[in-house]
Amino acid sequence: MSAAIRQVISIANSDLTIIEHQGERVVTLAMVDQVHQRPNGTARRNFNANRERFIEGKHLFKICASDFRTHKPDTISNKSHEDVILLTQRGYLLLVKSFTDELSWQVQDMLVDGYFEGQRPAAPPVTQRIAQSRHRLALAKELHRTRDAGLREVIHQQLDEVSRAMGLPTPELESLGRSAPKTPDVLKVFWEALAFLDSKGVAYNHATASNILALNLRELASQLLEHGQPLRFDSALRQTLWQSHSPRCLHKNRTVHSRLSGKSIKCWVFERYSES
């Protein structure tokens, strides 16, 4: 329950203390009697007579009297020990269905418009809505481009926050591109073997560009065998390499000019992310 500074609003010549619970405005049964100018206990009697129609969490909240007094002092008697019934807007309208006099019709409109609806923030400026729309679109496009599963989750959380702020539904993650497939074990072993050669200072990349890997598989097999890391380059591994997404396989058996030998050589070519 909100413990903010006491706020009072005037409805139908009655001063009502604004009460909020779980982010929405609520009224007590005594407040209903007050604003409708009914004898004390009228709202309580009507509520008890129709208790089965009220759903907790939807139409009402029940709060311990002592807790209520702590957050909203001077709103109920110190002698009261009965749980306090807090009616939501839906609960209030359900309760006053039997109030059909002219004053009650007027009070219902004033209480809904001036009290319950008064909690809603004003719509953001048009420029802010446009900026939010552009940001939401940019996040959606980024999800289409991104294949890393963890990064996609982060971007989708941001998209959800922006969508909620705009009052719009959040697109399903699966509808915005796809995550990269899980790396097969055989491919994982291959890249671990290259990392081993890196640790030994073995030069195997024939490409000149920093974001490109150009690998001659026959030469690579000999280098791995020489350093005690034999790896069989069978058809299964070659097929898996061709389907590799990270690094992405661009060509197989493509002639490149080797930065190592200065000669032409057949290589499998991969594109990897720059480390800069």
Side-chain angles (χ1 to χ4, degrees):
M1 187 183 302
S2 173
I5 296 174
R6 180 175 178 179
Q7 292 178 290
V8 177
I9 189 171
S10 181
I11 301 289
N13 298 321
S14 294
D15 291 335
L16 301 179
T17 298
I18 294 176
I19 303 174
E20 293 186 356
H21 184 70
Q22 295 188 6
E24 62 179 310
R25 289 187 180 178
V26 292
V27 293
T28 65
L29 296 173
M31 290 169 66
V32 175
D33 284 339
Q34 176 188 346
V35 75
H36 281 271
Q37 300 178 21
R38 295 291 179 112
N40 291 339
T42 303
R44 167 71 67 176
R45 185 174 61 253
N46 285 16
F47 172 78
N48 289 338
N50 298 280
R51 180 63 183 86
E52 72 280 358
R53 299 181 184 274
F54 290 83
I55 301 172
E56 195 163 344
K58 177 180 179 181
H59 298 114
L60 66 94
F61 299 101
K62 280 201 304 184
I63 306 295
C64 174
S66 60
D67 289 343
F68 187 76
R69 271 192 295 269
T70 299
H71 293 92
K72 286 292 180 181
D74 305 324
T75 51
I76 62 172
S77 170
N78 289 330
K79 297 179 180 180
S80 177
H81 300 289
E82 194 174 14
D83 286 344
V84 178
I85 301 298
L86 301 177
L87 297 175
T88 64
Q89 180 177 337
R90 284 184 173 182
Y92 163 74
L93 293 174
L94 185 61
L95 178 69
V96 300
K97 279 185 175 182
S98 60
F99 294 3
T100 57
D101 57 281
E102 184 61 30
L103 176 61
S104 291
W105 287 112
Q106 296 174 13
V107 169
Q108 286 180 41
D109 285 340
M110 288 188 286
L111 200 61
V112 169
D113 294 339
Y115 184 87
F116 289 109
E117 299 289 344
Q119 67 187 313
R120 296 185 179 177
V126 174
T127 52
Q128 183 180 340
R129 291 282 297 180
I130 293 174
Q132 288 177 324
S133 296
R134 288 176 175 172
H135 185 43
R136 184 170 182 265
L137 179 61
L139 289 171
K141 288 182 177 180
E142 187 66 21
L143 271 175
H144 267 292
R145 292 191 295 266
T146 304
R147 294 179 62 79
D148 180 84
L151 187 55
R152 282 174 56 80
E153 287 288 346
V154 173
I155 297 173
H156 190 257
Q157 289 175 5
Q158 296 176 349
L159 178 62
D160 180 56
E161 291 175 2
V162 174
S163 298
R164 287 176 180 272
M166 297 179 66
L168 298 174
T170 304
E172 294 293 333
L173 179 59
E174 293 75 16
S175 69
L176 298 170
R178 292 288 185 274
S179 299
K182 186 178 179 181
T183 303
D185 290 340
V186 66
L187 196 56
K188 183 179 179 181
V189 171
F190 174 80
W191 296 118
E192 287 176 347
L194 262 61
F196 172 78
L197 291 181
D198 287 335
S199 70
K200 297 296 183 180
V202 178
Y204 55 82
N205 183 12
H206 293 273
T208 55
S210 61
N211 66 324
I212 297 295
L213 278 174
L215 309 175
N216 180 276
L217 299 189
R218 180 177 297 178
E219 178 187 77
L220 195 61
S222 297
Q223 290 172 315
L224 288 169
L225 183 61
E226 181 181 345
H227 288 83
Q229 295 289 322
L231 184 63
R232 183 183 178 189
F233 287 84
D234 55 15
S235 58
L237 176 56
R238 291 172 184 268
Q239 180 64 27
T240 307
L241 284 173
W242 179 237
Q243 296 172 351
S244 175
H245 292 282
S246 180
R248 183 165 64 99
C249 188
L250 301 177
H251 309 286
K252 55 182 178 179
N253 294 324
R254 187 181 185 89
T255 301
V256 301
H257 184 75
S258 172
R259 70 176 180 87
L260 301 179
S261 66
K263 300 178 182 179
S264 296
I265 188 171
K266 295 281 188 179
C267 289
W268 284 58
V269 182
F270 300 85
E271 181 184 40
R272 59 183 177 183
Y273 292 113
S274 173
E275 296 180 357
S276 60

